Amino acid sequence: MALMQIAEPGGFPSERRQQMRAVGIDLGTTNSLIAVVEDGAPKVLPDSNGAFLIPSVVHYEKDGDVLVGANAQSRVLTDPLNTLSSIKRLLGRGITDMPRLGNKLPYEVEVREGGMPTILTRYGPVSPVQVSSEILRCAVSAGKAYFGSEIDGAVITVPAYFDDSQRQATKDAATLAGIKVLRLLNEPTAAAIAYGLNESEEGIIAVYDLGGGTFDISILRLTKGVFEVLATGGNSALGGDDFDRVIADWLCEQTGIGPSIDPSTQRLVMTAARSAKEDLTLAECTSITTLGWRGVLSREHFYKMIDSLISETMRTCKRVMSDANVKSNQIREVVLVGGSSRIPLVREKVNDLFGCKARSELDPDQVVALGAAIQADNLAGNRQSEDMLLLDVLPLSLGIETMGGLTEKIIPRNTTIPVSKSQEFTTFKDGQTAMSIHIVQGERELVSDCRSLARFDLRDIPPMVAGSAKVLVTYEVDADGLLNVSAMEKTSQVVSRIEVKPSYGLDENEILRMLDDSIRYSKDDILIRNLREQQVEADRLIEDLTSALDRDSDMLTKNELLSLQQSIADLRIFRAECSDHNELSVRIGNVAKTSESFAERRMNKSIQLALAGQTLEALEKG
Amino acid sequence: MWRELPRLVYSLTLQVIKSKSYFAIFSLEMDWAIDLLLLKSRYLNLQKQFHPDKFLMKSSLEKRLAMQTASLINDAYDTLASPLKRAQYLLDLRGYDAQPERHTSCDGLFLMEQIELREELEMIEGQNQNQNTCKDLSERLGSFSTKIQHRYESLQNDFSESYAKGLLDNSFSVLGKMQFFAKLLDQVEDLESRLIICD
């Protein structure tokens, strides 16, 4: 165990703060994992049964209980309609995705108002966000057992190719599970971190990640602790599940049962298919016994059936290499991630394409969680070395609908995030007073071929001649890859702004309501947790401001200094006495507001110092 | 939904507006010919200090400032690292409206060249439909691409020389040609990525 720092009584640690209890969670289609960093090395935590892989399966019991993981998986065959697996395929998906996904799912899906799919269980309708939050809660319980207390925050991984709705839905699921999300981290990037930190790696690497339900390929450049993603691509609906399904379809054909089979039989066939697939990783052929049918499936035949799916991933790899402006001979090594990368055909094709060393010495099922734990430790400030930097990219272009249902790209794919871009638009008709802004994501020309993220209206534009209003639309993507959009009419300064999530996600009130509804969370628990969160926030602010004043109090006038010192002292007293998280939150907000201009001055100074440092370096060189 | 925009002028933005240039962010001379390795190393140094990952445990205001600062550094780097965007940006600063769609050339010889090159690309594309062997096609496309690439690079040299001599009008007309070749290269890449499908 790393040494915990204990503050002097009444004082605050000036440089190092207490170690944060930070975890990395890989929320997978088939399995989920949780990992932590212990003594500088990442490790996956076992659940209460001692297993490292938590099956991403949720079962709703008759008495209202919810089972997650291995306990739920044992109900897959006996109670298929109330046992939900591969839910990640539906997460953040909308009504338009259903024809492609829905009819293949062995449970009942209904599309609710607002376009979000829900699954009908005996517990009532549940959303993919809710189901995912159960899985996250289960993973976190292993973290709680490890630390012996609540966790402080988590890095949660998402497929690099997830669009904005899918990312937002993942974040909503975490919020619903009561988890503070430090960062959403792309899965291939997490794998690169897990490999890259073992040695001082340098050069260009590719990460080929074929999981249970998603495929990602990322190309990164590593230089002295910097992980720079050059380009990424993938398919968020292609993975090991699809290989199972191909075998299952073949089995249905062989056994003579039609495509319209009951859910129990469907699960039975899928289970047989999956175990056949796993057998074929090691054996040349496997015998299958299911539904009174016996037969043999050879590896060769299996390869023939999945060849087109694997080839699709190879085509994506080529496109991403071209996006990254990298030739295969420049790639030093390729990292294999995800359970499906174990299939020998996949390895063979990856070797052929990249022609370099393929690495898989870290367990392909665990490597994403391990990388997430390292990044969580890093973000929480627990690491000694501050030199690690991760620069990730936007996976899919963000655009806006223009006249004629066409997409105008505002931020192209593979742009480094965070990023902010603005574009000016104008009115189409004389006297037009409102403008409808439709935000889309995707590479296609037509709006109807892209994912619709959100719509909002900019109203109260003063009536003008067509073409003379100047509407500045700004897209801001943060380091989680999540989008915010604002629009402003420049002559009148009319502003409208939206956080992009209403299309398929949940709004904040809905999450709060669900939190309240949650029967396994007593109201008191929530209150205690909320208060604890605000106390941590207050401590952090007090500590930050105290150390900032130690260094930079000369930036403030005497009055400013006195008033800031006073409000810090007041907050310290209030924090010790207050038992209402809302009141504490308001106080924290007030102190933060008082210190705003101080923070801005400090930031400005540090930027000037950074720039001056460069100038000095330039002078020395010249 | 009707919330105020965050203040549009932040510390670093202010700095840039004052100095009127992205070059200042990286302490580089305002010129087309810049040391790209130096640009890269300074970019990474700045991101090591201002990336939002370094501010995760700070107040929400500092987080917001860090995100905006990092976004601006990314945008400045993206602009300066690209030969075309760097040229556009330099002329933008000198008061030229250098956006590609506003740029029309009246150089007759160049217009002829444009037409010929476009036709050549269309020919190659047409072959694609004629079910020629992929290998043959990708070789022809490859040599076309190399030709365009060379032409584009020599235009970059022209721009660099012309800008260094202060011949702005001439630089502006070279930029128009660069824009055409950059777009053509995009189309070639697009065709190349569609060709991937047939092997």
Side-chain angles (χ1 to χ4, degrees):
Chain A
M1 273 292 284
L3 281 179
M4 299 287 257
Q5 297 218 326
I6 297 168
E8 201 180 312
F12 284 83
S14 54
E15 284 304 320
R16 295 267 295 135
R17 62 178 95 235
Q18 200 183 9
Q19 291 272 312
M20 290 251 304
R21 294 173 291 256
V23 301
I25 300 175
D26 173 5
L27 178 62
T29 309
T30 324
N31 294 299
S32 296
L33 299 91
I34 177 168
V36 295
V37 170
E38 185 182 282
D39 296 334
K43 67 170 207 177
V44 175
L45 297 179
D47 68 4
S48 51
N49 304 320
F52 293 113
L53 294 181
I54 305 163
S56 300
V57 182
V58 176
H59 172 74
Y60 292 90
E61 291 254 79
K62 284 198 183 78
D63 58 8
D65 263 7
V66 181
L67 300 179
V68 184
N71 297 337
Q73 196 163 36
S74 62
R75 312 296 170 96
V76 160
L77 291 175
T78 52
D79 191 2
L81 291 181
N82 295 297
T83 310
L84 314 181
S85 57
S86 294
I87 200 68
K88 191 173 174 183
R89 292 209 157 204
L90 288 179
L91 193 61
R93 295 286 188 172
I95 186 165
T96 48
D97 302 308
M98 295 314 295
R100 205 152 49 91
L101 301 162
N103 58 4
K104 290 177 183 169
L105 295 162
Y107 32 78
E108 284 181 69
V109 179
E110 179 191 70
V111 175
R112 238 174 35 159
E113 207 182 324
M116 194 172 77
T118 54
I119 301 115
L120 302 176
T121 67
R122 64 161 71 91
Y123 182 79
V126 292
S127 73
V129 169
Q130 267 172 296
V131 180
S132 303
S133 82
E134 297 290 355
I135 300 167
L136 287 172
R137 209 171 274 162
C138 173
V140 161
S141 67
K144 280 185 198 165
Y146 172 79
F147 287 115
S149 68
E150 296 279 338
I151 62 160
D152 293 319
V155 165
I156 298 177
T157 60
V158 289
Y161 212 57
F162 255 18
D163 65 29
D164 194 76
S165 311
Q166 292 168 306
R167 283 168 198 271
Q168 189 61 58
T170 306
K171 210 169 179 182
D172 289 348
T175 309
L176 194 57
I179 300 168
K180 183 179 160 67
V181 180
L182 298 173
R183 188 65 84 230
L184 296 179
L185 177 63
N186 289 331
E187 288 162 7
T189 313
I193 292 174
Y195 273 96
L197 281 188
N198 286 343
E199 307 133 57
S200 52
E201 301 272 349
E202 299 256 316
I204 295 173
I205 66 160
V207 181
Y208 180 98
D209 180 355
L210 190 57
T214 58
F215 165 66
D216 280 329
I217 168 78
S218 286
I219 294 179
L220 295 97
R221 183 187 287 125
L222 311 189
T223 25
K224 296 187 197 99
V226 178
F227 295 77
E228 188 188 7
V229 180
L230 301 177
T232 194
N235 184 339
S236 57
L238 171 64
D241 275 7
D242 297 285
F243 304 152
D244 299 350
R245 195 162 295 120
V246 165
I247 300 178
D249 288 349
W250 174 77
L251 280 174
C252 286
E253 216 178 276
Q254 297 296 308
T255 52
I257 50 172
S260 57
I261 51 175
D262 64 276
S264 270
T265 317
Q266 198 181 342
R267 291 279 180 120
L268 210 61
V269 175
M270 284 295 276
T271 309
R274 188 198 282 199
S275 88
K277 176 188 76 177
E278 285 167 5
D279 282 353
L280 290 174
T281 301
L282 293 173
E284 283 297 329
C285 63
T286 180
S287 57
I288 306 171
T289 313
T290 186
L291 307 171
W293 176 87
R294 272 167 166 271
V296 171
L297 177 63
S298 71
R299 193 186 256 185
E300 198 188 338
H301 189 189
F302 171 54
Y303 285 176
K304 214 176 262 168
M305 293 192 284
I306 61 169
D307 189 63
S308 65
L309 292 171
I310 309 280
S311 297
E312 193 196 318
T313 70
M314 296 301 148
R315 282 196 294 275
T316 307
C317 290
K318 287 183 189 171
R319 186 179 61 73
V320 170
M321 275 197 273
S322 145
D323 277 359
N325 238 326
V326 163
K327 298 259 179 294
S328 61
N329 59 15
Q330 291 171 276
I331 295 177
R332 218 197 41 189
E333 58 188 35
V334 49
V335 169
L336 293 174
V337 185
S340 306
S341 72
R342 289 198 177 89
I343 298 174
L345 178 67
V346 171
R347 302 199 160 202
E348 208 174 284
K349 293 220 170 186
V350 166
N351 278 334
D352 286 352
L353 179 64
F354 293 100
C356 62
K357 195 170 75 174
R359 294 183 65 174
S360 56
E361 67 267 24
L362 296 175
D363 184 339
D365 285 322
Q366 293 195 357
V367 61
V368 167
L370 295 174
I374 295 170
Q375 179 65 346
D377 194 48
N378 178 42
L379 292 176
N382 293 347
R383 292 186 91 82
Q384 297 289 348
S385 128
E386 294 282 316
D387 236 21
M388 180 173 153
L389 173 68
L390 204 158
L391 296 166
D392 220 312
V393 299
L394 180 73
L396 290 146
S397 303
L398 288 165
I400 191 168
E401 176 170 356
T402 58
M403 296 300 297
L406 295 177
T407 313
E408 164 92 17
K409 281 183 185 150
I410 305 260
I411 308 180
R413 68 164 187 264
N414 293 319
T415 301
T416 305
I417 55 173
V419 60
S420 166
K421 298 247 186 222
S422 299
Q423 198 143 324
E424 232 175 65
F425 294 91
T426 189
T427 43
F428 175 63
K429 282 185 194 152
D430 284 345
Q432 186 177 337
T433 58
M435 203 179 234
S436 175
I437 309 229
H438 183 198
I439 304 151
V440 297
Q441 187 161 29
E443 308 310 318
R444 308 282 294 274
E445 293 282 315
L446 290 176
V447 165
S448 52
D449 293 331
C450 290
R451 153 61 52 101
S452 165
L453 293 180
R455 292 169 190 272
F456 71 110
D457 292 336
L458 178 68
R459 296 185 186 282
D460 301 327
I461 300 172
M464 282 179 255
V465 182
S468 56
K470 284 188 162 52
V471 174
L472 191 72
V473 177
T474 302
Y475 278 40
E476 254 182 1
V477 180
D478 65 17
D480 288 324
L482 292 171
L483 174 68
N484 258 286
V485 176
S486 60
M488 179 178 73
E489 203 287 304
K490 279 163 96 179
T491 52
S492 60
Q493 303 276 306
V494 170
V495 167
S496 184
R497 183 174 174 78
I498 192 168
E499 274 182 51
V500 180
K501 61 178 172 182
S503 288
Y504 306 112
L506 301 164
D507 66 32
E508 216 138 313
N509 289 328
E510 208 169 349
I511 289 179
L512 288 177
R513 186 183 54 74
M514 287 165 112
L515 264 181
D516 279 347
D517 286 352
S518 167
I519 42 168
R520 278 149 306 103
Y521 255 120
S522 81
K523 201 125 189 161
D524 286 350
D525 279 355
I526 299 174
L527 288 178
I528 290 168
R529 204 184 56 226
N530 286 346
L531 180 62
R532 172 77 198 125
E533 270 173 22
Q534 290 307 320
Q535 285 171 342
V536 170
E537 192 68 35
D539 290 346
R540 186 175 300 150
L541 183 64
I542 291 169
E543 193 194 319
D544 270 357
L545 284 175
T546 313
S547 75
L549 282 178
D550 279 350
R551 266 176 241 141
D552 295 316
S553 60
D554 55 330
M555 287 178 166
L556 297 169
T557 65
K558 204 170 176 192
N559 280 341
E560 283 173 330
L561 179 63
L562 283 175
S563 109
L564 196 55
Q565 279 169 336
Q566 187 61 50
S567 57
I568 294 171
D570 290 349
L571 180 63
R572 195 170 284 171
I573 294 164
F574 195 79
R575 180 244 182 263
E577 290 167 354
C578 170
S579 59
D580 181 312
H581 70 94
N582 283 322
E583 281 178 35
L584 185 55
S585 159
V586 170
R587 287 293 187 109
I588 293 170
N590 288 344
V591 177
K593 197 138 190 85
T594 315
S595 63
E596 259 191 21
S597 90
F598 182 42
E600 223 162 328
R601 273 177 248 176
R602 294 190 69 230
M603 186 69 131
N604 208 356
K605 182 181 154 193
S606 67
I607 289 165
Q608 270 161 7
L609 279 176
L611 297 182
Q614 284 181 352
T615 318
L616 206 64
E617 178 202 344
L619 281 175
E620 280 163 3
K621 281 206 171 179
Chain B
M1 184 137 151
W2 296 93
R3 268 194 284 151
E4 235 183 289
L5 265 185
R7 267 166 301 162
L8 284 169
V9 182
Y10 325 109
S11 329
L12 188 57
T13 324
L14 202 67
Q15 187 84 23
V16 176
I17 291 167
K18 269 187 197 154
S19 64
K20 287 200 175 63
S21 122
Y22 282 166
F23 293 91
I25 294 181
F26 304 104
S27 304
L28 294 168
E29 293 279 328
M30 199 194 289
D31 193 359
W32 187 87
I34 54 172
D35 183 340
L36 288 170
L37 286 176
L38 195 60
L39 171 68
K40 182 68 182 254
S41 85
R42 289 185 177 166
Y43 163 69
L44 291 180
N45 271 335
L46 285 176
Q47 285 297 20
K48 277 184 185 168
Q49 295 171 66
F50 298 107
H51 193 276
D53 282 357
K54 311 287 171 191
F55 289 79
L56 213 68
M57 296 296 131
K58 303 285 180 184
S59 68
S60 58
L61 174 84
E62 280 170 284
K63 280 187 209 165
R64 204 179 75 202
L65 284 172
M67 192 186 93
Q68 285 156 346
T69 306
S71 298
L72 188 69
I73 294 168
N74 275 336
D75 197 33
Y77 175 72
D78 183 53
T79 304
L80 298 193
S82 144
L84 182 70
K85 287 183 192 165
R86 187 164 71 242
Q88 265 165 212
Y89 181 65
L90 278 169
L91 291 181
D92 265 337
L93 290 179
R94 298 299 196 95
Y96 285 80
D97 190 354
Q99 291 311 304
E101 61 271 22
R102 316 260 163 80
H103 212 123
T104 47
S105 172
C106 18
D107 177 340
L109 272 177
F110 180 57
L111 286 175
M112 280 303 290
E113 192 188 0
Q114 283 188 31
I115 293 167
E116 280 167 16
L117 289 172
R118 278 211 193 95
E119 273 174 2
E120 200 176 335
L121 184 61
E122 270 165 32
M123 287 256 293
I124 299 175
E125 209 174 346
Q127 273 187 341
N128 190 12
Q129 283 144 10
N130 288 341
Q131 310 240 314
N132 255 27
T133 64
C134 263
K135 199 164 168 252
D136 185 37
L137 200 60
S138 80
E139 267 168 23
R140 289 201 53 176
L141 192 61
S143 70
F144 182 73
S145 168
T146 314
K147 183 169 83 182
I148 304 297
Q149 190 68 44
H150 283 155
R151 194 73 175 84
Y152 184 44
E153 276 161 20
S154 88
L155 281 168
Q156 290 176 26
N157 288 333
D158 292 352
F159 184 92
S160 177
E161 271 176 38
S162 156
Y163 183 84
K165 285 181 191 150
L167 306 170
L168 295 183
D169 283 345
N170 190 45
S171 307
F172 187 60
S173 108
V174 177
L175 174 65
K177 293 179 188 175
M178 281 170 68
Q179 283 164 343
F180 169 77
F181 279 95
K183 199 171 172 200
L184 199 61
L185 273 174
D186 279 350
Q187 286 166 348
V188 169
E189 265 172 32
D190 196 48
L191 189 57
E192 269 171 349
S193 72
R194 270 185 284 146
L195 271 183
I196 290 170
I197 296 168
C198 70
D199 57 28

